[in-house]
Amino acid sequence: MNLKNSKFYKRIQELRNFSKEKIRKDREQRGLRTAVIRGVEMALSESKCSNQVIELEWSQLASPAKSLSSPRRRTSASKNKPGKKRPLMAGDARSKGGQGFRPVKPVGSDNEAAVTEGFIELNNLRYRVACSGRPGSSPRHDERPTISDSKSAICVSNSRYAMIGRISKSLGFKLVKECKMWNILWSDSFPGVELFKNMKRFQQINHFPGMIEICRKDLLSRNLNRMLKLYPHDYKIFPKTWMLPADYGDAMHYAQNHKRTFILKPDSGAQGRGIWLTNDLKTIGPNERLICQTYIHRPLLIDGYKFDLRVYTLITSVDPLRLYVYNEGLARFATNKYVEPTPGNANDLYMHLTNYSVNKRNSQYDLCDNDDCGSKRKLSAINNWMTRHNYDVNEFWSNVDDVIIKTVLSAWPVLKHNYNACFPGHDTIQACFEILGFDILVDWKLKPYILEVNHSPSFHTNEQVDREVKRPLIRDTLTLVSTVLADKKQILREDRKRVKQRLLKSKGDTVQRSRVVAGASKVTPNKEGSPTNKEQSPEPEIGSLAQQIAWEESHMGNFRRIMPPPDASRVNYYCKFFGQTNQVSIFQETAASKKREDLARKMRLQIEEKKAKQEQMLLARSKRKRLIQPRLAREKHRLNLFRLKENWSPGFVSEAEERLRNTWQQMRTEAIRNLKITENIYALLFEHGHLSNTDITTFPNLYHYLQCGYDIKGAT
Ligand code: ADP
């Protein structure tokens, strides 16, 4: 009898499945939900539940249809329940125009509830989150979800920095290979699009697709120049820059009217390679691909040395844009005392460049563990120096933040487009985060200029100062990215289910993508957009993005948030830059720059044609000259040239010389024959007994050879 067919066996299986399902649901409802809500609560109880809660409304200003295209948005928007009075979910507060934020009225100042309740407003939805205690009450640390709780796995095999693996391990991450189900992939280089596309919904990677737009010198220049054209008063954040050869004419025109020094860099170079200074742009060929910049000739000096700042910035999301700046960073010093550029010192790279890779080769490089000396110092030491010299440190850093925000905003449309194209289904956590290294040069007026953005800043820890800055940076970054909010197992289960459903087509084409919304059961909107399971969601829901934001706000470490700006008055200011695509499409601009390049190419061809014509004319003239000169004289001249050459080798045989030699030889033979010298010699030899008749018969050619004047050795 087959036991598997028995009723008893089937019943046991049913019960087993039932209890498994029940346990799973139970755990989901209790475990994850409470963990996440607690995360949000902590965020709010730590900082946000004050009497003056300023709310930021993320308004979809550009085109609502477009901006609501991501599944995350669709689901969030669909959660508004018409008819039911929910004052804290203000889905109707929608605005029109560009895309960005706008401040709404401060809440909570006059009502008691706002003190104990917090709000996160995103995607036109306001999420209500209750604080567990009074403002300022500390969160219960024992209940805080940690990375080790979530059993997150990280793959660092594509990174050369051992430190990242070590820190991840100490934070509770499991180190895995790339082929395994990692939560985070940390790579030093930009991964291919395929990798982005195959990522699961719980996975994160440390690069955003399209970040190259600001990380390559030529693309950064193009984007910043475009923004400067659109916002001439706001975008003076970088030195005047031309992309050669496209902007060759512009650069030459500027050079003619301004007496300036220029710095020239290869368009995709790094580490100071191939950089030089000049004040004569005519020395540059019209075909060279270079970035030409005005040289900031009066930089801020400390102890007489030029320096630049490496500011680490973390991007956790591009749509909406969220930026954090690390409070600690590095100042890299030049190793020769600074003097304004002159033709005499323009070649001194140790004076004009501040790259570590250049200056470490100088014997003057100062390895010093003290904060206020050394060729590499911490930003905190620079802040102290500024305070001592009565500079306004806060104002300076708010200017630096402004430069960083504007630089990222110049590529924002591309970043947003690429992200949405690569991760249409990533609705649980953000698929990417990225640490960018901003190189900032400060002039004598304390104005910061962006020089370069590095997508993979160096995490080498050669010096003590590196260790003190970079280790906490990695640690804080890994803590801030929110892997803990994604339940790997549940997402995999859901994905499997989805695939199964699609294959079986059990529910037709209208199978809704379920979302992981902690603290809420899944919402399936009907045609009118109202949720069908009203009874199952008694509490206000917390969207996945709101969870992430709450998590980030409560795990900032030494980061400070710069976007959305903490100062509400700045929100409106940045709004306009989000609307850049409404004014000039970046693709239009690309077409314009292509046109410029086309024009430059045509100009180049014309110049080359002209040059070729001139050369031909010169050649024709010299040919005519050659015809006039007698052949012998030309030949002599050529020979003289050869002989004058230092490396003249005797192996060379001139044709004319050879001809001359042959002629002389023939003349000599003729002379010998005419003077009958051979006969006389023969007779003489015969007379003296040196030759006999026998000789003549033995060597018949001898007489003939003697007669022709040849060497008689060959005849004997
Ligand atoms: P790389 O990527 O090769 O390091 P950068 O653009 O960062 O190239 O320039 C290298 C160094 O040259 C900078 O650290 C800075 O000291 C100096 N530098 C670059 N541009 C300018 C400029 N416009 N004015 C003054 N100094 C500059």
Side-chain angles (χ1 to χ4, degrees):
M1 188 184 140
N2 190 352
L3 258 180
K4 284 195 174 173
N5 288 334
S6 71
K7 268 187 186 173
F8 177 68
Y9 182 80
K10 280 180 184 165
R11 180 73 188 138
I12 286 180
Q13 286 300 324
E14 257 176 44
L15 284 172
R16 233 191 209 169
N17 287 342
F18 176 75
S19 53
K20 259 190 196 168
E21 190 69 5
K22 205 177 158 209
I23 290 166
R24 188 178 63 78
K25 273 187 183 160
D26 237 40
R27 209 177 38 212
E28 258 171 46
Q29 275 178 1
R30 267 188 292 113
L32 184 65
R33 180 176 153 193
T34 49
V36 172
I37 289 185
R38 243 172 249 143
V40 178
E41 282 174 2
M42 280 183 312
L44 295 164
S45 59
E46 274 177 357
S47 56
K48 289 287 167 280
C49 281
S50 68
N51 283 347
Q52 283 288 317
V53 180
I54 302 285
E55 288 180 274
L56 301 180
E57 182 182 337
W58 291 81
S59 45
Q60 306 304 319
L61 305 172
S63 76
K66 236 192 228 172
S67 50
L68 289 172
S69 60
S70 81
R72 176 182 0 115
R73 298 260 157 94
R74 267 200 300 273
T75 334
S76 308
S78 67
K79 280 181 218 146
N80 287 324
K81 295 178 182 178
K84 192 174 176 185
K85 203 177 174 236
R86 292 173 65 182
L88 297 169
M89 292 187 74
D92 47 342
R94 206 166 282 204
S95 49
K96 299 166 193 76
Q99 179 141 9
F101 328 92
R102 75 179 170 79
V104 294
K105 64 178 192 315
V107 289
S109 53
D110 52 357
N111 92 39
E112 181 58 23
V115 179
T116 49
E117 288 174 341
F119 312 103
I120 295 176
E121 189 155 324
L122 294 154
N123 307 329
N124 302 329
L125 279 180
R126 192 187 295 170
Y127 298 94
R128 184 187 72 125
V129 192
C131 286
S132 52
R134 292 254 144 205
S137 66
S138 61
R140 285 162 291 173
H141 284 274
D142 51 328
E143 288 167 0
R144 190 184 283 239
T146 61
I147 293 159
S148 46
D149 290 346
S150 72
K151 299 219 168 49
S152 291
I154 187 169
C155 169
V156 291
S157 45
N158 295 338
S159 170
R160 74 200 112 132
Y161 306 110
M163 175 182 72
I164 295 166
R166 277 201 302 272
I167 293 175
S168 312
K169 225 172 172 181
S170 73
L171 282 173
F173 279 98
K174 199 173 138 198
L175 299 188
V176 292
K177 287 184 183 157
E178 199 182 336
C179 53
K180 294 275 172 346
M181 280 291 172
W182 39 264
N183 289 75
I184 293 180
L185 178 78
W186 193 294
S187 165
D188 291 345
S189 54
F190 268 125
V193 183
E194 274 310 299
L195 198 140
F196 284 133
K197 289 210 153 175
N198 292 332
M199 272 168 63
K200 300 264 181 285
R201 284 186 295 135
F202 59 86
Q203 292 186 315
Q204 288 180 299
I205 192 159
N206 70 331
H207 292 286
F208 277 92
M211 199 55 87
I212 196 93
E213 283 290 321
I214 53 170
C215 295
R216 252 184 75 133
K217 285 195 185 79
D218 49 351
L219 300 182
L220 175 71
S221 313
R222 193 185 70 184
N223 283 321
L224 290 180
N225 274 331
R226 180 171 51 83
M227 292 301 269
L228 183 68
K229 241 184 244 168
L230 287 174
Y231 311 104
H233 298 298
D234 304 293
Y235 262 83
K236 286 179 182 156
I237 57 168
F238 65 110
K240 266 190 182 308
T241 308
W242 298 272
M243 280 174 284
L244 306 183
D247 294 335
Y248 189 74
D250 283 354
M252 290 298 281
H253 184 252
Y254 182 87
Q256 274 164 8
N257 297 324
H258 301 82
K259 223 175 165 299
R260 290 292 301 261
T261 304
F262 298 91
I263 183 163
L264 289 131
K265 318 172 185 180
D267 53 2
S268 56
Q271 301 188 329
R273 274 190 291 261
I275 295 183
W276 86 95
L277 306 187
T278 182
N279 47 20
D280 183 12
L281 286 189
K282 283 181 205 131
T283 51
I284 303 163
N287 299 343
E288 286 184 68
R289 287 185 70 91
L290 290 168
I291 300 296
C292 173
Q293 259 183 1
T294 49
Y295 186 74
I296 296 168
H297 61 288
R298 287 186 73 186
L300 182 70
L301 303 180
I302 294 185
D303 306 334
Y305 293 98
K306 178 180 171 177
F307 67 96
D308 75 349
L309 306 178
R310 164 58 58 89
V311 183
Y312 295 102
T313 304
L314 175 68
I315 306 192
T316 56
S317 153
V318 288
D319 185 20
L321 185 61
R322 295 189 66 77
L323 298 177
Y324 297 87
V325 165
Y326 205 61
N327 290 323
E328 197 54 281
L330 293 170
R332 287 107 30 111
F333 283 72
T335 40
N336 282 357
K337 288 217 170 182
Y338 185 77
V339 182
E340 282 194 27
T342 58
N345 69 26
N347 289 336
D348 190 349
L349 298 184
Y350 300 136
M351 179 190 285
H352 295 293
L353 304 195
T354 49
N355 301 72
Y356 168 72
S357 47
V358 172
N359 285 289
K360 71 178 176 188
R361 284 188 237 126
N362 191 0
S363 56
Q364 305 292 317
Y365 189 88
D366 190 0
L367 277 165
C368 168
D369 284 345
N370 195 324
D371 272 0
D372 291 325
C373 63
S375 296
K376 231 190 235 179
R377 301 181 200 178
K378 284 197 275 186
L379 288 186
S380 49
I382 304 297
N383 288 345
N384 290 339
W385 182 91
M386 283 185 186
T387 314
R388 282 201 302 275
H389 290 78
N390 297 324
Y391 289 110
D392 187 342
V393 178
N394 289 337
E395 194 193 328
F396 169 69
W397 280 107
S398 85
N399 289 340
V400 172
D401 293 351
D402 181 64
V403 167
I404 292 174
I405 293 172
K406 284 176 179 167
T407 307
V408 177
L409 282 179
S410 71
W412 181 75
V414 177
L415 291 174
K416 183 184 159 218
H417 169 83
N418 286 7
Y419 184 85
N420 289 331
C422 286
F423 308 106
H426 231 97
D427 52 3
T428 313
I429 49 170
Q430 289 290 311
C432 310
F433 66 93
E434 188 153 8
I435 301 179
L436 295 173
F438 280 75
D439 287 354
I440 293 196
L441 191 70
V442 188
D443 75 358
W444 65 288
K445 287 184 191 162
L446 227 67
K447 182 174 165 41
Y449 290 91
I450 178 82
L451 292 184
E452 197 194 8
V453 186
N454 293 279
H455 64 83
S456 283
S458 158
F459 290 121
H460 284 302
T461 47
N462 307 331
E463 294 175 36
Q464 181 60 22
V465 62
D466 287 322
R467 287 187 280 277
E468 284 173 15
V469 172
K470 293 173 188 174
R471 275 183 190 164
L473 167 70
I474 303 283
R475 183 176 284 273
D476 288 353
T477 303
L478 286 173
T479 313
L480 197 146
V481 294
S482 45
T483 47
V484 76
L485 300 178
D487 187 339
K488 192 194 284 189
K489 278 186 188 158
Q490 192 185 339
I491 288 173
L492 284 174
R493 211 180 300 127
E494 275 176 15
D495 283 353
R496 271 200 296 271
K497 208 168 147 188
R498 236 184 268 170
V499 171
K500 212 168 158 187
Q501 277 178 350
R502 219 181 301 143
L503 284 174
L504 296 172
K505 290 200 174 149
S506 57
K507 297 210 171 169
D509 293 332
T510 51
V511 176
Q512 291 291 325
R513 185 183 287 135
S514 53
R515 294 181 66 219
V516 182
V517 178
S521 52
K522 276 137 207 134
V523 180
T524 317
N526 60 16
K527 269 183 189 163
E528 286 78 43
S530 62
T532 50
N533 52 349
K534 275 182 194 173
E535 309 74 38
Q536 289 175 7
S537 57
E539 292 171 39
E541 292 152 359
I542 302 164
S544 54
L545 193 57
Q547 289 166 32
Q548 174 171 345
I549 289 170
W551 176 271
E552 286 174 9
E553 297 282 322
S554 58
H555 293 81
M556 282 208 285
N558 202 12
F559 280 105
R560 65 173 184 278
R561 195 189 74 219
I562 60 165
M563 194 73 193
D567 177 5
S569 63
R570 299 291 290 168
V571 174
N572 273 344
Y573 173 68
Y574 289 115
C575 253
K576 60 179 175 186
F577 305 123
F578 281 98
Q580 59 182 280
T581 39
N582 295 347
Q583 295 173 47
V584 170
S585 141
I586 40 162
F587 301 110
Q588 258 178 30
E589 185 57 26
T590 317
S593 64
K594 269 186 187 163
K595 214 169 183 180
R596 268 191 300 145
E597 253 189 71
D598 263 5
L599 268 175
R601 202 176 305 126
K602 272 181 197 163
M603 255 176 65
R604 216 164 47 231
L605 284 176
Q606 278 175 1
I607 292 169
E608 274 167 13
E609 253 176 48
K610 223 173 168 181
K611 247 186 183 175
K613 259 186 192 171
Q614 279 176 349
E615 268 172 18
Q616 265 183 354
M617 272 165 61
L618 279 174
L619 209 77
R621 209 178 291 165
S622 67
K623 260 185 185 171
R624 238 178 292 141
K625 249 188 185 173
R626 275 169 62 184
L627 283 174
I628 296 161
Q629 259 185 352
R631 204 153 130 232
L632 246 166
R634 265 191 289 132
E635 200 57 41
K636 218 173 180 180
H637 177 67
R638 210 157 75 88
L639 276 173
N640 278 344
L641 278 180
F642 266 101
R643 280 177 190 138
L644 278 174
K645 271 192 182 170
E646 252 181 351
N647 59 347
W648 188 81
S649 61
F652 171 76
V653 178
S654 152
E655 260 181 55
E657 200 180 22
E658 191 66 7
R659 274 201 301 275
L660 215 65
R661 203 169 59 83
N662 278 339
T663 320
W664 280 343
Q665 214 169 10
Q666 272 177 9
M667 279 162 65
R668 198 188 58 167
T669 319
E670 279 303 304
I672 291 169
R673 202 176 289 153
N674 292 345
L675 295 172
K676 297 206 183 291
I677 292 171
T678 42
E679 276 94 327
N680 293 342
I681 291 174
Y682 176 75
L684 220 67
L685 288 172
F686 201 77
E687 262 175 32
H688 287 89
H690 293 300
L691 273 176
S692 62
N693 284 335
T694 339
D695 287 333
I696 292 166
T697 43
T698 320
F699 306 109
N701 291 332
L702 186 66
Y703 179 69
H704 171 72
Y705 275 23
L706 282 169
Q707 215 177 15
C708 295
Y710 296 152
D711 195 346
I712 54 167
K713 271 183 213 158
T716 50

